[in-house]
């Protein structure tokens, strides 16, 4: 199964999010991070991600007679490159966006369902801003955002860090205004 098809499922995408940041987790630990998803579903999708090479087995141990595996996300394989993104149809873009939104909604609901959820204290944000940008200004903004995010993507879990999801969504809401050619 291709990476696009693998990631085009909300549960698999949530597993990829849970595994990000260099974490090594067992399937049981992933189940704890996705309490709203059945264990059988998590196990099935972890298996699919491992079989495809997106998750790598980095350790095994016996637990109550069963083999428990620890997995690591192969981040370089969990990426949809620019050429692949450019080759998909408009309908595929709709599907990808719908899965991304369904995943985001599921992640947010799982957060709100936690006993310690406090959107104000946790600085939760869901703002939209309309910006008028030229093609060059847009490219510059994307570069600045990418630089800010990439500089923190190597952060590893620690006692001071909480895993956050950030989901930049960018698309033109309308075309440029018509020019007044009557002058």
């Amino acid at each position: 199964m291709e990476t696009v098809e693998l990631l085009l499922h909300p549960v698999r995408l949530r597993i990829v999010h849970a595994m990000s940041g260099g974490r090594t987790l067992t399937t049981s630990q992933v189940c704890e991070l996705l309490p709203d998803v059945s264990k059988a579903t998590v196990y099935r999708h972890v298996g699919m991600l491992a079989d495809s090479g997106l998750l790598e087995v980095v350790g095994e141990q016996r637990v109550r007679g069963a083999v428990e595996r620890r997995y690591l996300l192969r981040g370089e394989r969990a990426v949809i490159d620019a050429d692949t993104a450019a080759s998909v149809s408009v309908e595929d873009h709709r599907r990808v966006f719908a899965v991304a939104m369904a995943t985001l909604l599921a992640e947010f609901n799982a957060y709100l369902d936690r006993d310690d959820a406090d959107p104000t204290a946790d600085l939760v944000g869901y703002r939209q801003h309309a910006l008028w940008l030229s093609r060059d200004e847009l490219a510059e903004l994307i570069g600045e955002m990418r630089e800010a995010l990439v500089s923190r993507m190597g952060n590893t879990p620690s006692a001071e860090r909480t895993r956050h999801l950030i989901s930049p969504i960018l698309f033109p809401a309308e075309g440029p205004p018509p020019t007044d050619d009557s002058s």
Side-chain angles (χ1 to χ4, degrees):
M1 189 179 291
E2 291 184 28
T3 302
V4 173
E5 288 301 316
L6 277 167
L7 297 178
L8 256 175
H9 191 282
V11 172
R12 289 192 293 268
L13 193 52
R14 289 182 67 195
I15 292 168
V16 167
H17 290 164
M19 298 294 300
S20 65
R23 297 169 104 179
T24 59
L25 299 173
T26 65
T27 306
S28 295
Q29 290 171 316
V30 174
C31 287
E32 290 172 15
L33 294 171
L34 306 178
D36 56 312
V37 180
S38 76
K39 289 182 182 192
T41 299
V42 172
Y43 273 85
R44 184 173 65 251
H45 289 291
V46 165
M48 290 176 76
L49 291 168
D51 290 346
S52 71
L54 265 69
L55 295 181
E56 176 183 355
V57 177
V58 293
E60 293 182 345
Q61 66 183 28
R62 281 222 172 271
V63 177
R64 294 183 291 280
V67 175
E68 183 178 64
R69 292 178 180 89
R70 296 188 71 71
Y71 295 95
L72 175 69
L73 176 67
R74 300 280 310 270
E76 76 281 0
R77 300 185 103 190
V79 173
I80 299 170
D81 62 35
D83 290 338
T84 301
S87 71
V88 300
S89 69
V90 169
E91 283 309 309
D92 285 337
H93 279 285
R94 285 185 215 283
R95 285 182 44 221
V96 170
F97 190 76
V99 168
M101 293 302 96
T103 303
L104 185 60
L105 185 59
E107 294 275 12
F108 192 65
N109 283 330
Y111 160 72
L112 291 175
D113 289 342
R114 290 186 355 217
D115 290 337
D116 64 342
D118 185 344
T120 303
D122 292 337
L123 303 176
V124 170
Y126 30 82
R127 296 168 186 85
Q128 287 185 320
H129 304 281
L131 306 173
W132 289 93
L133 301 167
S134 69
R135 183 85 178 160
D136 289 343
E137 291 167 332
L138 176 60
E140 183 180 2
L141 175 64
I142 290 170
E144 291 166 356
M145 290 170 53
R146 183 175 291 132
E147 185 178 313
L149 295 173
V150 168
S151 72
R152 290 166 177 84
M153 288 177 79
N155 290 357
T156 56
S158 72
E160 309 81 51
R161 290 188 175 131
T162 302
R163 186 173 64 96
H164 290 79
L165 291 180
I166 183 165
S167 302
I169 299 167
L170 182 67
F171 60 90
E174 59 184 83
T179 57
D180 184 10
D181 294 334
S182 61
S183 21

